[in-house]
Structure formats: C-alpha cells, structure tokens
Amino acid sequence: MGTPSLSPWAVLGLALVLVGLWAPCVVSRQPNFIVILADDVGWGDLGANWAETKETPHLDQLAAEGTRFADFHSAASTCSPSRASLLTGRLGARNGVTHNFAITSLGGLPLNETTLAEVLRGAGYSTGAIGKWHLGHHGHHHPNSRGFDYYFGIPYSHDMGCTDTPGYNLPPCPPCPRHGTSAREARKDCYTELALPLFKNVTIVQQPVELSSLATRYAEEAARFIQRASDSGRPYFLYLALAHMHVPLTPPLPPAPGRSIYGASLSEMDALVGWIKEVADSHGKGNTLLWFAGDNGPWAQKCELAGRLGPFVGAWQRQRGGSSAKQTTWEGGHRVPALVYWPGRVPARRTSHALLSVLDIFPTLVALAGAALPPNRRFDGLDVSPVLFGWSDVGHKVLLHPNSGAAGKVGEIEALRLAQYKAFYTTGGAMACDGSTGPAERHQPPLIFNLDRDIQEQEPLDVASREYQAVLPAISRAYTLALQDIAADNISVADYSQDPAAVPCCNVQHVGCRCRGAHGATLDPHVEKRTPRLCL
C-alpha cells in the first residue's frame, strides 16, 4: 500500500507493528466475517463498476481478487431501514424500522428482533461494531445490548450533531457554539444545539467528535478488535459502518487542483478499506470473508458532494423533476456497489449478475458459521453462498423495494423487481440538486421498465404492448403474494416516540453537551475515565 496518497494508513500500519498488533495468529475453523458498509455511496463510485471513477484502486483490487456483484441492492433507500435489514435479514415491513431514528428517539430496532450479531455470538463469535449505528441509542437499543461485545462509533449520522470542524456540506453548517445561547445560530438542516458524540461501548468519550480524525480512529479500533479476537482463538464478526460518503465530507487534506472534495473523500475511504483488508490478511489470509456494500444510493440534493449513479439515472423521473437517487425506489436509490473477498473460497476476477440484496448477508453468514436462523419469523434474505462460491449465478426471483422517504407511506412496498422487469406503483417526492421535487404520482396499472434494454429507466413499456400485457399478470401475482406473506408473518413495531431526555449528552452543564478537554485532543485512558457514562 505504498503510494503517497496512503501515507496516513502506512503510518498507522507501522505504529501497529511496533505495538505488536500485526502478528499472525492461528485461525478458528469457523470463518471470520468483516462487513464494511459505506454510507450514501453510488454504484458508480467504484472504478470496477464505472470506468470514469479513478479514486478506488484498492476497492478495484478487492474486486480483482474477489467477486463483484453488478446487480446488488440495499433493502431500503435510507439509513436506519437499510441497516436494520442488514442486521435482521428482514425488510422494514417485517422488522418495524421504516424510517430514520432521531437524536431524541426513545426506541430503535425492536428488541424482539434478533440481530446477526446475537446469532453469531451464540455460535461462539467475538462481535464488534465500529462506526455509525442509527438503530437506537437509548436504553437497550444500544449496540452493546444488541449482540455486540464491543462498540466504538457514533449513534447516528454525523450530520446529526455539530462539530468544531464541520467539514463540507450543502448548506454549510456552523461549528458548535462555545459560550451559551447567544452564540447559537439556527440554520435549516443543521444541528446547532447538540454536539455529535463518540461512544466507546456505553461511554461517551468525545463530544463533539473530531471529524478529521474519525476515519483513522475507526481503522485503529478495527485493527485492535481483530487483534483481540485473534488472540482469543475465537472467530470474529466485525461490522464496520463507515462515515464515508455521507455529508459532511472531511477529506484528510484539501483537494489538489482539479480534484473534487468528493473525490478526495472517496480516495480516503478506498484507502481505509484497502488497509482493513491487509490487516485481516495479516492474521491468516483465507480465514476471513470481507463483504463490502453500500447502505443506499447518493444523496442527490447535496449536488457536487453526492456520489455517482453510473448509468442508473432514473431518466423518467429526472424528466419530470426531482431526484432518482437516495430515498427513492429508482435504481440509483438502492442499487449499490458490492464486493466479496475470501481468498481460496470466493473466485477471483468474477462478476456476478445474480439479483442480490443486503438482506442476504444475514442468512449467508449464519449458514457459513454453521448456526441456525432464528425461529418463528420469515426472512427476505437468501443464503447466497452458492453464488459467492461461483457454483450458481441465481439470486432472487422477486425483490421488493420499500418507500424510503420520497413519495408514498414510508415502509410500504410500492416497487418491485421480477427478473429483468421493474414495476412502480408510486414515484416522485425526492429533492434533486436543483431544488425540484418530482410530483408524487400513483400508478395503477404500474409503470414497468425492462432493465435489460433500459437500464436508465427512461421509457416504461407501453401498457398496450404485448410485452406489458404478458408480464403484468406475473408482476401482479408476485406483488400480491409478497404482501400476503408479510401480512402473515410475525411483524415487529418500532417505537418512534421522542423525548429530549434521550439525547446523548456527556455534560449537561456545557453548551452543546461539550466534554471538558475533548476539543482538539486525542483520547487517552485518563480522558476516558473522567468522561461520564450515558445513562442507560
């Protein structure tokens, strides 16, 4: 990893060698799992997907040494529902998480839902979550109560709290106040009243977070977790939920002339993923499955700070105004980059066109660990290990796409995929870069696109055409059966109630909940000992 752009990671690697964190170890018979989830990343942000992208050499190398999934989808087009589905293998219509939780949320992922971490911990795994959680931070919704032995990260998106160095956002947000209410400045879409907290297990160790060093901190914590688990002789499951590529963007250095802020941030994410791969390999190459994916598509209203859709532009929607990316059920909202790397097990230099989803991570890893799925519930994900191993290229026959904050009731299923056909019962409702919001429209009969011929989703099939009339009955039948299956399942209900007392705050006496000595300082054991715990 010796290119000049990787110098922060090279320095970090040398430091870990010196403290003994790079030594190889004996690996358990059960495989280790690393799931890296990028935030708001576009399908076209991966060079292996989109030749115009040049900032991802390490991810591209990961694709060359593993398998790339060209038709891989998030389970929702916004943060909390997508993450809940990854950790349960169930859509929000089943697990209850249909939209994002707030900083004042009392609830989270319903406690009767079983997480992937809980299943794997029961199978003997060490479990760690590093990064963004966004599935509830109050009481027993905290990661440490949801199957994770170790947690280090932020409880929700890093734009949901002020910091001292706010980074790049549209609109730009001010830094945290320092001297009381008179200094506070209200801005639309900015959180100016509360500093963003950083947790180590249930303790707030920094508030506000130092965003410029957050990626390095995540890398350090990931390496230490891998080392501790390897030393214990137990297999491990590491869930690494990155801040990249969600705004605010905080590239480590100002972009070079001719280079964008987004590109510089994408390069940092790429270097981080490449470095984690090397850390995992150093503890026994071939013992660890690494799965990289996105949580949803780019946030189009952030303009030049949003990711690249590649060919999935949702042209029909764009012609009518509004976004066809994050929050929508257009391909740009939920088709995300995805790679699996497992030397000696997952074929190298392979591209799979199987229809897959983040929902599949849960049942696949459970099967590979030799564990059993939780009883008394139905799953939307599949065990796709035959696809991983190159034995098959068959995934989902039908894939459901829930409303995720654009038009329609959140969580409702009003778009679905059947083979190469994509049907929409609702469109519109998401804001584009130019400020337009396409009109919310209901479609009965549905709009149907043939993605094999029209990957840009530009021209729906003519309802009078033979093709439309031939496929409509199959789509209608699949849609009806899917809704009936959900209705017959054990459905959870998430608590979305809010209370200002649920806000994570390490020092209520300080404006913005600022911790003494946290600004501009790296953490050490002495700082952590005097930092108050969050009341759980």
Side-chain angles (χ1 to χ4, degrees):
M1 306 196 43
T3 64
S5 63
L6 296 182
S7 56
W9 310 108
V11 170
L12 180 55
L14 177 60
L16 293 176
V17 169
L18 294 176
V19 297
L21 295 184
W22 202 270
C25 67
V26 177
V27 176
S28 168
R29 287 175 295 179
Q30 291 172 297
N32 305 312
F33 302 127
I34 299 176
V35 174
I36 301 179
L37 191 68
D39 202 338
D40 288 3
V41 68
W43 189 91
D45 283 334
L46 187 66
N49 283 345
W50 193 240
E52 295 178 15
T53 295
K54 307 298 183 184
E55 296 94 344
T56 59
H58 299 90
L59 282 163
D60 298 343
Q61 184 62 30
L62 203 65
E65 297 179 15
T67 292
R68 176 175 70 94
F69 300 116
D71 200 357
F72 190 94
H73 300 261
S74 61
S77 298
T78 194
C79 300
S80 296
S82 179
R83 290 154 201 272
S85 291
L86 187 159
L87 290 175
T88 64
R90 288 154 54 85
L91 287 165
R94 299 184 198 269
N95 66 38
V97 180
T98 57
H99 53 289
N100 289 340
F101 294 103
I103 64 173
T104 52
S105 286
L106 290 171
L109 176 65
L111 300 179
N112 58 306
E113 289 289 325
T114 304
T115 70
L116 177 57
E118 288 170 325
V119 175
L120 293 178
R121 186 164 68 176
Y125 277 70
S126 295
T127 57
I130 294 172
K132 171 178 165 180
W133 179 238
H134 215 170
L135 292 175
H137 53 272
H138 185 70
H140 293 292
H141 296 287
H142 185 278
N144 286 143
S145 297
R146 304 313 308 267
F148 288 102
D149 301 320
Y150 181 74
Y151 175 62
F152 183 90
I154 56 178
Y156 29 68
S157 298
H158 64 288
D159 65 339
M160 295 173 67
C162 64
T163 63
D164 289 332
T165 52
Y168 298 92
N169 198 352
L170 288 175
C173 291
C176 285
R178 286 185 172 275
H179 303 297
T181 55
S182 62
R184 300 182 186 183
E185 181 180 1
R187 296 269 188 99
K188 183 182 179 183
D189 300 327
C190 295
Y191 288 73
T192 57
E193 299 293 315
L194 179 73
L196 183 69
L198 179 66
F199 280 80
K200 185 173 184 178
N201 294 318
V202 296
T203 301
I204 297 176
V205 293
Q206 193 177 47
Q207 195 170 11
V209 173
E210 185 181 289
L211 287 181
S212 61
S213 64
L214 190 59
T216 301
R217 296 291 301 279
Y218 285 172
E220 291 173 338
E221 293 294 333
R224 291 191 177 101
F225 173 80
I226 291 170
Q227 177 66 44
R228 288 193 300 268
S230 300
D231 288 346
S232 74
R234 297 168 61 193
Y236 65 81
F237 165 50
L238 173 61
Y239 170 49
L240 178 57
L242 303 177
H244 302 84
M245 298 296 300
H246 199 294
V247 293
L249 302 179
T250 56
L253 297 171
R259 193 180 185 197
S260 69
I261 293 166
Y262 191 88
S265 297
L266 185 59
S267 290
E268 183 186 41
M269 182 190 78
D270 177 70
L272 192 159
V273 174
W275 190 81
I276 293 296
K277 168 186 174 287
E278 289 206 1
V279 171
D281 282 348
S282 72
H283 289 276
K285 191 169 184 177
N287 297 325
T288 302
L289 182 156
L290 189 157
W291 199 322
F292 173 87
D295 74 331
N296 50 247
W299 199 355
Q301 72 185 71
K302 297 300 179 177
C303 302
E304 70 271 15
L305 302 181
R308 301 152 185 168
L309 294 170
F312 305 107
V313 296
W316 187 92
Q317 185 64 64
R318 284 193 173 185
Q319 292 164 3
R320 288 155 178 78
S323 168
S324 58
K326 179 178 178 176
Q327 298 181 316
T328 79
T329 53
W330 298 97
E331 290 293 290
H334 53 74
R335 191 184 291 225
V336 293
L339 309 166
V340 167
Y341 167 78
W342 191 5
R345 300 297 302 275
V346 169
R349 299 190 179 279
R350 176 172 176 260
T351 297
S352 169
H353 294 278
L355 180 57
L356 303 181
S357 168
V358 72
L359 291 158
D360 304 327
I361 292 176
F362 184 109
T364 302
L365 299 194
V366 168
L368 292 173
L373 291 174
N376 304 319
R377 70 205 70 189
R378 300 177 186 180
F379 292 87
D380 298 290
L382 304 174
D383 172 8
V384 296
S385 51
V387 179
L388 266 59
F389 297 144
W391 303 337
S392 167
D393 206 34
V394 177
H396 291 259
K397 295 179 180 178
V398 176
L399 194 61
L400 307 178
H401 301 300
N403 298 334
S404 298
K409 183 180 178 182
V410 289
E412 294 288 322
I413 309 297
E414 294 185 317
L416 77 154
R417 175 84 173 271
L418 175 67
Q420 74 268 35
Y421 294 100
K422 177 89 169 286
F424 292 84
Y425 293 87
T426 296
T427 58
M431 184 179 293
C433 171
D434 62 6
S436 67
T437 299
E441 297 183 58
R442 292 282 301 165
H443 304 282
Q444 193 59 258
L447 297 179
I448 301 177
F449 295 83
N450 184 332
L451 296 182
D452 280 353
R453 296 198 307 266
D454 185 13
I455 206 165
Q456 295 184 342
E457 295 172 302
Q458 184 169 5
E459 291 290 339
L461 301 179
D462 185 338
V463 295
S465 68
R466 288 185 177 180
E467 185 177 14
Y468 188 98
Q469 293 300 320
V471 74
L472 178 61
I475 286 175
S476 299
R477 184 166 56 252
Y479 187 43
T480 299
L481 290 174
L483 296 183
Q484 288 175 347
D485 183 75
I486 292 170
D489 194 10
N490 286 327
I491 295 173
S492 300
V493 177
D495 177 8
Y496 278 96
S497 63
Q498 298 184 34
D499 186 334
V503 167
C505 183
C506 68
N507 193 333
V508 295
Q509 302 301 318
H510 282 210
V511 60
C513 293
R514 183 182 295 274
C515 293
R516 292 193 305 271
H519 170 59
T522 57
L523 296 181
D524 58 49
H526 302 292
V527 172
E528 293 179 10
K529 285 178 182 176
R530 67 172 177 260
T531 303
R533 291 168 64 90
L534 176 70
C535 295
L536 295 178

